[in-house]
Amino acid sequence: MDSAENSQPANATEALERLGRLSLRDLSMEGLLQTVADLTKTVMPGHTEVSVSLLVKDNPSTVAATGQLATDLDESQYERGHGPCLHAARTGELTEVGDTRTDSRWPDYMPRAAEHGALSSLSVPLVIDDDGQVAGGLNIYAREPHAFDEDSRSAATRFAPYAAVAAGNLHAYRSAVDRADNLQTALETRGVIDQAKGILMDRHKLTADQAFQVLAQMSMKTNRRLRAVADDLVHTGELPQPVIPPAPRR
């Protein structure tokens, strides 16, 4: 497939048709978001840079951008905890800044945007889920004041659903990977502890409950995690202190 840079669409309709023809089998979710950002840039006025921001439990990140200007201004808002892209993501409102030199909202952010050469911006909220835990924004930064008209606003809102679906899938994928990693760690920890218990049961004729009590006592006495104590026993055959079998529970 030709990139947006190599074959620019003539208008928003052509760009949207190109998005509709994309094969998801050939693109990662990050790649799809980057393509949405690239194509949005080609049809926006005002010599723009575009980003896609993701807000997970109010923790923001930029998951795609067409240039450093968009990344810098996103991060400037993240540092301050407010700004047009965060406002759009949190409220679900289309947020437009006509001129960063005269707009009185977010007074600690606007001068920074103007210094960077972004004189107007448009942030389109992304509808990602219904429980409010994940939100996002398609953010367009222009180097000219009052760069956006009704046609460009309409085009931006038509691009937003593509970004919303891709951003939602990206979040779901990352969450699934995190859960799998946590599960794998839990299974590995349980396996090491079970091996250590087996060594103690065989060597000192303890019950499974008594062996676990020994490991827990060693963990507290040495101020180390139980997993680390068990891992040492499995790999060295030794515990840091002599084993004193606990009295059987009544």
Side-chain angles (χ1 to χ4, degrees):
M1 164 185 138
D2 290 336
S3 70
E5 293 297 328
N6 293 333
S7 177
Q8 292 191 356
N11 53 45
T13 300
E14 183 181 334
L16 287 164
E17 290 174 354
R18 181 176 299 179
L19 280 175
R21 294 195 301 267
L22 291 178
S23 171
L24 298 183
R25 292 177 298 178
D26 301 329
L27 276 176
S28 66
M29 283 165 284
E30 290 91 341
L32 178 55
L33 285 168
Q34 188 62 52
T35 301
V36 172
D38 289 340
L39 288 174
T40 301
K41 174 181 176 176
T42 66
V43 300
M44 287 293 119
H47 188 33
T48 58
E49 298 294 349
V50 178
S51 72
V52 179
S53 54
L54 192 61
L55 202 63
V56 181
K57 296 182 179 178
D58 214 38
N59 183 30
S61 63
T62 297
V63 293
T66 63
Q68 196 60 44
L69 174 67
T71 301
D72 287 345
L73 292 184
D74 280 359
E75 291 179 351
S76 180
Q77 294 172 69
Y78 304 160
E79 290 169 5
R80 291 163 173 77
H82 55 242
C85 85
L86 293 177
H87 182 77
R90 287 168 176 158
T91 65
E93 298 174 358
L94 182 72
T95 305
E96 182 174 353
V97 175
D99 192 333
T100 56
R101 299 167 298 184
T102 59
D103 197 309
S104 61
R105 296 171 293 176
W106 311 293
D108 55 344
Y109 161 75
M110 291 298 181
R112 179 66 180 258
E115 288 169 8
H116 276 70
L119 299 186
S120 58
S121 67
L122 183 67
S123 292
V124 185
L126 304 181
V127 180
I128 295 175
D129 69 3
D130 296 326
D131 61 9
Q133 296 297 302
V134 185
L138 177 65
N139 311 302
I140 306 158
Y141 299 98
R143 292 177 171 85
E144 300 172 1
H146 305 287
F148 306 101
D149 57 16
E150 194 59 37
D151 288 342
S152 56
R153 293 185 199 100
S154 176
T157 57
R158 291 169 67 193
F159 276 92
Y162 290 91
V165 170
N169 288 341
L170 178 61
H171 169 67
Y173 172 76
R174 287 177 176 175
S175 297
V177 169
D178 289 343
R179 286 194 297 269
D181 288 345
N182 290 338
L183 176 60
Q184 184 63 30
T185 299
L187 291 173
E188 291 172 356
T189 297
R190 178 175 177 177
V192 169
I193 291 173
D194 285 345
Q195 290 179 62
K197 283 167 55 180
I199 292 171
L200 292 174
M201 291 166 65
D202 179 67
R203 186 178 297 173
H204 299 284
K205 308 306 178 188
L206 303 178
T207 65
D209 183 60
Q210 288 173 325
F212 184 82
Q213 289 182 57
V214 168
L215 292 172
Q217 290 168 2
M218 292 293 178
S219 173
M220 289 186 289
K221 288 178 181 178
T222 60
N223 196 29
R224 301 176 66 206
R225 292 182 180 273
L226 193 145
R227 158 74 188 259
V229 173
D231 195 60
D232 282 351
L233 176 58
V234 170
H235 288 91
T236 69
E238 302 294 335
L239 283 172
Q241 296 182 12
V243 174
I244 301 176
R249 291 183 179 179
R250 294 183 178 180

